C-alpha cells in the first residue's frame, strides 16, 4: 500500500540520490562565504577572532572537498549514508565556526538551517530527524557556550538575552517548519512524477494495442502474394509428379500448408482491417469495448443509452486516452461494487456525457475532494478493506483515468449516489460512487474528412 503520509521514509531509491559534484559545489560556496566573513570581520571591522582556529575549521572543509574531487569520479552519486555523513560534517563544522565567532550573537547562526533543509528534501525521515536534532542540540549549546566577539578596543559585542532566546527559538522552529515544508513539497513532486510516468506508460501501451491491428493487416497483405506463388508452384509440381507418389505427397502437403497459412493470414488481416476501421466507431461501441475486460469479473455491467436514437449516435475516434480512461473508471467501479455497475451515455450537439455508477458504499466524504490525486486509493477507511481483501492496486487508476481524459478536454466530476453515512439511503440500487465525464463533442467526434483520410492511409483495404 502506498504511503501517503507526511512522514514518508524516503523518495524511492537510487534514482533520487544526490550527485557528489553538487554537494562539493555547495560546500565551495559555503567555504567562500565563511572566508569572506572572517576576513571582513577581522580586518575591516577589527574583531578579535581566533583566526588560526577559524582558518583551521574552514581548512578542514577545503581538504574534504579536495579529497572528494581527486578520489571519487565526477559522476558519483552519494548513497543515503554518504549523503548523511557529508551533511552531518557540514553541520558540525558550521557549529564549531559559530562557537569561535560569538555563538548566537553572530547573525550568521541562521545558516545552520541550510544543511537541515537540504537533508529533509533528499534523505529519509530518520536521517532528517537525526540531523535536525543535532542542529537543535548545537544551537542550544551555542546559546550558552561560545567565544565572545570583541573589538580591538576591548568592547564585547553581544545582543540582549531576550534576543538570544528569540534567535534560538527561531532556529529551532525553522529546523522543524522549513524541513517539513521542503520534505512535503519534494515528496509531492516525486509522487506526481512517478504517477505521470505510469500514465505515459499506460497510454503508450494502449497506443501500441491500437496500432497492432495495422501491423497485422499489413503483414497479411504483403505475405499474400508469395503464399499464392507457393501454392501455384506446389500444384504444378504435384501434377508433374504423378509417377512418383512419395514426392507428389510432399508437394500436396506444401499446398495444404500454404492454404492453411492463407486462412490464418486472412483471419488476421480481417481483424487488422476491423481494428483500423474501428478507429472511428459509434460511441456506444467504444464504451462497450472499454468495459469488455471487466464484464466477467463478478459484477453485472448494465449499459444505458437511448436505443431509439441509433441513427444519431455520435461516431467518434477510438482515441487511446478515451478507451483507457473509461476502462480504468469501469475497473474502479467493478472493484468496489456489490453486484451492479451502470454505464450511461448521453449526448447533445456540443457535448458527450458518460456516467459510471456502482451500487457500492461510495466515496468517503473525507477524500472526495482529493479524488484524482496520485495514490489516493481508498474508497473507505482501513476497516472496510476486508470486504475486498484481494484488491491490491497501485493507487493510480483514478489518477491515470483523470489525466488521460483531461488530455482530450474532458471534465470529471466525482460524487456519491447517496449519503454513505445514512443507512436508509443505501436501499436504492444506484447508491454508490458516480463518475461523470463530460467531453466536448468536437474533441472526439470523427468528421467525414478524418474517416476519408484513414481510408486513404490504408489503400489495400479498399
Amino acid at each position: 500500500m502506498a504511503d501517503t503520509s507526511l512522514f514518508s521514509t524516503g523518495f524511492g531509491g537510487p534514482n533520487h540520490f544526490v550527485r557528489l559534484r553538487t554537494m562539493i559545489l555547495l560546500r565551495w560556496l559555503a567555504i567562500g562565504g565563511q572566508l569572506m566573513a572572517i576576513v571582513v570581520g577581522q580586518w575591516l571591522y577589527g574583531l578579535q577572532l581566533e583566526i588560526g582556529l577559524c582558518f583551521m575549521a574552514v581548512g578542514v572543509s577545503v581538504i574534504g572537498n579536495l579529497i572528494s574531487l581527486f578520489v571519487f569520479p565526477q559522476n558519483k552519486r552519494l548513497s543515503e549514508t554518504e549523503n548523511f555523513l557529508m551533511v552531518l560534517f557540514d553541520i558540525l563544522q558550521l557549529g564549531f565556526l559559530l562557537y569561535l565567532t560569538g555563538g548566537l550573537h553572530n547573525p550568521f547562526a541562521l545558516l545552520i538551517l541550510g544543511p537541515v533543509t537540504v537533508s529533509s528534501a533528499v534523505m529519509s525521515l530518520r536521517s532528517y530527524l537525526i540531523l535536525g536534532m543535532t542542529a537543535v542540540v548545537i544551537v542550544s549549546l551555542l546559546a550558552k557556550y561560545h567565544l565572545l566577539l570583541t573589538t580591538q578596543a576591548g568592547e564585547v559585542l553581544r545582543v540582549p538575552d531576550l534576543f538570544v532566546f528569540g534567535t534560538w527559538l527561531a532556529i529551532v522552529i525553522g529546523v522543524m517548519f522549513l524541513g517539513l515544508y521542503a520534505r512535503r513539497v519534494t515528496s509531492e513532486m516525486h509522487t506526481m512524477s512517478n504517477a505521470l510516468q505510469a500514465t505515459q506508460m499506460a497510454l503508450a501501451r494502449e497506443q501500441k494495442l491500437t496500432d497492432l491491428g495495422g501491423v497485422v493487416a499489413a503483414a497479411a497483405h504483403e505475405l499474400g502474394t508469395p503464399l499464392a506463388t507457393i501454392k501455384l508452384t506446389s500444384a504444378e509440381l504435384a501434377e508433374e509428379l504423378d509417377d512418383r507418389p512419395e514426392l507428389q505427397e510432399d508437394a500436396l502437403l506444401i499446398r495444404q500448408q500454404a492454404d492453411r497459412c492463407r486462412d490464418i493470414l486472412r483471419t488476421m488481416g480481417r481483424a487488422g482491417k476491423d481494428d483500423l476501421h474501428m478507429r472511428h466507431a459509434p460511441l456506444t461501441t467504444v464504451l462497450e469495448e472499454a468495459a469488455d475486460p471487466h464484464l466477467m469479473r463478478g459484477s453485472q455491467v448494465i449499459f444505458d443509452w437511448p436505443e431509439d436514437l441509433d441513427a444519431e449516435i455520435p461516431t467518434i475516434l477510438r482515441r487511446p486516452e478515451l478507451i483507457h480512461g473509461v476502462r480504468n473508471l469501469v475497473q474502479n467501479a467493478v472493484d468496489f461494487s456489490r453486484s451492479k455497475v451502470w454505464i450511461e451515455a448521453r449526448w447533445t450537439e456540443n457535448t458527450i456525457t458518460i456516467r459510471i455508477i456502482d451500487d457500492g458504499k461510495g466515496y468517503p466524504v473525507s477524500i472526495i475532494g482529493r479524488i484524482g490525486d496520485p495514490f489516493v486509493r481508498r474508497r473507505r477507511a482501513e476497516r472496510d478493506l476486508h470486504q475486498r481483501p484481494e484488491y491490491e492496486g497501485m493507487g493510480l487508476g483514478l489518477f491515470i483515468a483523470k489525466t488521460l481524459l483531461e488530455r482530450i478536454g474532458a471534465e470529471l466530476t466525482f460524487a456519491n449516489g447517496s449519503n454513505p453515512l445514512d443507512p436508509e439511503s443505501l436501499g436504492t440500487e444506484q447508491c454508490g460512487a458516480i463518475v461523470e465525464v463530460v467531453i466536448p463533442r468536437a474533441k472526439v467526434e470523427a468528421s467525414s474528412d478524418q474517416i476519408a483520410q484513414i481510408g486513404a492511409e490504408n489503400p489495400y483495404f479498399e
Side-chain angles (χ1 to χ4, degrees), residues 15 40 49 61 68 78 132 135 255 280 318 327 441:
N15 291 333
V40 171
L49 303 175
S61 290
S68 300
L78 298 175
R255 179 180 179 180
H280 52 85
R318 293 180 63 256
R327 183 171 296 161
R441 190 160 172 168

Side-chain angles (χ1 to χ4, degrees), residues 106-120:
N106 187 335
F108 291 106
L110 288 175
L111 291 177
I112 203 167
L113 293 174
V116 180
T117 304
V118 171
S119 69
S120 69

